[in-house]
Structure formats: structure tokens, C-alpha cells
């Protein structure tokens, strides 16, 4: 009964739900039972509670567990977008966690491909390298795994010399030699300084303007959104 069947029975007879003593993952177990026994009111209450837990969880590494449970649960699809957005928002904490090293290969690849990760390409590389070293029996196997499955996920053209030195160089043995030479040359030739996240380097495709008209209907605000089909940005330094 996954340890929560008593909670289901209590709700059926008392029509009350107290989740204060339940762990987050137990909420997923209870949601499974509520769906299995078609208790829609409890499903609604659990959905609201889980959404709150996802948005406010103190330990961001727990987002990976929520993500896995949402994928397993028949009602989990509606939570996946919110979980993905929070993984992207707290990417640096999530990718550097022990929990990330425990997920399977396909899950790791999926997350590392997310387009709005608030992590630099060097940090993303570092996490991929750490996953391969943790989940293979030898360094040689880790190298093959990285080169075959993860190497092309990294957007090397976004690397700066600082990001390269801090995050890639210490783990560069895992890369193919020719790729390493190319990335090294490219990162030191870039004129961009500092380290920018994958999200920060994405070009903006829409701009929202808020215009205040003090003389119209008591400070009425007018919102106007401009969208661009092709929004190419040239940076001159």
C-alpha cells in the first residue's frame, strides 16, 4: 500500500485531508491511489499540494525526484512543465547534486539538453563528465560514454576562457583530443568575458512594453507585446 493507504481510508470516511505529516514522495504515492480508486476530490487536493511542494521545495535536488515520479504517474504529465522550469531555474544546484548522478543515462541527457538552464556550458559539461565517471566502471568506459552520448550536447561556441579554465579543463581528459583542441582555441579567441548561462545567451524573441498614460482613465496601463519572427543579434565589442 506504499505506506499511505491509511490516508486514503481516512479521507474516504472523514472527507478531510491533512498532509502535514507526509513526505513529498508519499504525496505521489497517494495520488496514484486516489486515481486508482477514482477519488477525484482527493486528486484535486493532492495536485494543489504537489504544485506547492514543487514550487517551494527547499532542497532543489528534490526536483529530480518529483520529475521522475511525475513521469511514472498517469496524472503526472500536468506537473512536468512546472518541474522542468524549476529544474532550469535552479540548474546549478540540481546538476551539481548527488541525486543527478543517480538518474539514468537517458534522463541525464534529457535534462542536459534543456534550453533554458541557468548554468554555463562549462558547468553543464562538468555535470555530464561527473555523471559518466560515476556510472561507468573505468575511466576508459566513461570517456567512451561521454564522447558517444554527451559530447555533442554541450554548446561549445558559448564558452569563455574563464568557463573553460574553471569547469572544462580539470575534466578535459574525457573529451576527444581534436574536440578539446578546437574548444580550447575557440574559448580563448572569444572576446566575451565572464561566464553566462545557457538561458542568458538565448536571444530574446519578444519584448513587452508597459506604457503609462496619466491622463487616461486614472493612470490606465497599456500593455503592448512585440514579437519577432527572426531576431538576430550582433554583438560588437
Amino acid at each position: 500500500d506504499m505506506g499511505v493507504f491509511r490516508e486514503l481510508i481516512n479521507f474516504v470516511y472523514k472527507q478531510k485531508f491533512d498532509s502535514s505529516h507526509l513526505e513529498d514522495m508519499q504525496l505521489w504515492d497517494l495520488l496514484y491511489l486516489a486515481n486508482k480508486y477514482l477519488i477525484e476530490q482527493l486528486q484535486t487536493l493532492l495536485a494543489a499540494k504537489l504544485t506547492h511542494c514543487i514550487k517551494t521545495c527547499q532542497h532543489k535536488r528534490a526536483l529530480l525526484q518529483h520529475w521522475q515520479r511525475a513521469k511514472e504517474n498517469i496524472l503526472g504529465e500536468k506537473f512536468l512543465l512546472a518541474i522542468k522550469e524549476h529544474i532550469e531555474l535552479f540548474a546549478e544546484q540540481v546538476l551539481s547534486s548527488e541525486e543527478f548522478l543517480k538518474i539514468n543515462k537517458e534522463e541525464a541527457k534529457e535534462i542536459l539538453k534543456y534550453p533554458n538552464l541557468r548554468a554555463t556550458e562549462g558547468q553543464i559539461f562538468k555535470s555530464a563528465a561527473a555523471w559518466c565517471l560515476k556510472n561507468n566502471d573505468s575511466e576508459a568506459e566513461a570517456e567512451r560514454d561521454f564522447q558517444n552520448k554527451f559530447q555533442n550536447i554541450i554548446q561549445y561556441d558559448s564558452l569563455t576562457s574563464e568557463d573553460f579554465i574553471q569547469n572544462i579543463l580539470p575534466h578535459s581528459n574525457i573529451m576527444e583530443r581534436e574536440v578539446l583542441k578546437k574548444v580550447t582555441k575557440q574559448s580563448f579567441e572569444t572576446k566575451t568575458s565572464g561566464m553566462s548561462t545557457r538561458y542568458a545567451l538565448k536571444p530574446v524573441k519578444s519584448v513587452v512594453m508597459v506604457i503609462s498614460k496619466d491622463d487616461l482613465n486614472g493612470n490606465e496601463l497599456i500593455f503592448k507585446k512585440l514579437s519577432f519572427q527572426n531576431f538576430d543579434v550582433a554583438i560588437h565589442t
Side-chain angles (χ1 to χ4, degrees):
D1 64 5
M2 299 177 285
V4 294
F5 194 77
R6 179 175 294 181
E7 305 300 327
L8 185 79
I9 298 299
N10 285 340
F11 181 82
V12 170
Y13 283 99
K14 298 180 181 179
Q15 292 296 298
K16 292 182 181 180
F17 175 56
D18 178 15
S19 63
S20 59
H21 60 290
L22 295 176
E23 300 287 340
D24 286 4
M25 295 306 112
Q26 288 181 303
L27 296 173
W28 285 106
D29 295 335
L30 193 53
L31 181 64
Y32 169 83
L33 291 176
N35 176 66
K36 180 178 180 179
Y37 294 104
L38 304 177
I39 307 175
E40 294 184 2
Q41 186 179 356
L42 182 57
Q43 291 178 37
T44 301
L45 292 171
L46 286 165
K49 179 62 178 178
L50 277 167
T51 299
H52 176 76
C53 290
I54 291 163
K55 292 181 177 180
T56 61
C57 67
Q58 185 176 0
H59 302 294
K60 303 307 177 185
R61 60 183 182 271
L63 290 167
L64 291 171
Q65 293 174 294
H66 283 294
W67 182 68
Q68 289 175 316
R69 296 302 298 271
K71 283 175 166 286
E72 296 168 356
N73 195 295
I74 193 171
L75 300 179
E77 185 175 355
K78 62 184 177 183
F79 299 96
L80 285 174
L81 179 59
I83 298 171
K84 174 179 178 288
E85 289 176 346
H86 279 73
I87 289 175
E88 289 179 319
L89 182 60
F90 298 101
E92 190 172 347
Q93 298 174 50
V94 172
L95 298 183
S96 62
S97 69
E98 285 295 321
E99 282 71 15
F100 179 77
L101 300 180
K102 296 175 183 176
I103 64 179
N104 68 44
K105 186 183 300 183
E106 292 306 313
E107 290 173 335
K109 286 170 57 182
E110 181 177 348
I111 289 174
L112 293 175
K113 289 178 181 179
Y114 281 175
N116 295 317
L117 292 172
R118 270 66 159 189
T120 70
E121 292 304 319
Q123 290 170 332
I124 296 168
F125 169 93
K126 182 179 177 180
S127 297
W131 189 95
C132 291
L133 290 167
K134 178 72 172 180
N135 290 279
N136 285 281
D137 294 330
S138 68
E139 289 190 11
E141 291 176 353
E143 288 177 22
R144 286 194 294 271
D145 206 11
F146 177 85
Q147 293 166 16
N148 292 330
K149 301 297 182 180
F150 293 91
Q151 188 165 263
N152 293 331
I153 292 176
I154 315 303
Q155 299 173 14
Y156 298 105
D157 56 345
S158 300
L159 283 170
T160 61
S161 57
E162 291 97 324
D163 201 11
F164 176 84
I165 292 170
Q166 183 173 324
N167 293 305
I168 290 188
L169 190 58
H171 312 281
S172 57
N173 286 342
I174 207 166
M175 302 175 69
E176 291 178 349
R177 298 303 93 193
E178 290 305 313
V179 174
L180 177 58
K181 289 179 183 178
K182 180 180 178 181
V183 171
T184 303
K185 182 175 184 291
Q186 183 175 285
S187 65
F188 279 91
E189 286 179 346
T190 183
K191 295 181 180 180
T192 305
S193 60
M195 296 192 291
S196 297
T197 66
R198 180 178 288 179
Y199 170 78
L201 291 171
K202 285 186 61 180
V204 177
K205 298 205 173 178
S206 65
V207 177
V208 176
M209 296 191 308
V210 181
I211 304 172
S212 175
K213 283 197 170 183
D214 295 333
D215 57 346
L216 179 63
N217 295 330
N219 299 329
E220 178 184 353
L221 291 178
I222 296 178
F223 294 86
K224 185 176 182 181
K225 182 172 183 177
L226 306 178
S227 296
F228 304 88
Q229 294 297 322
N230 297 295
F231 196 84
D232 297 322
V233 178
I235 300 176
H236 300 281
T237 58

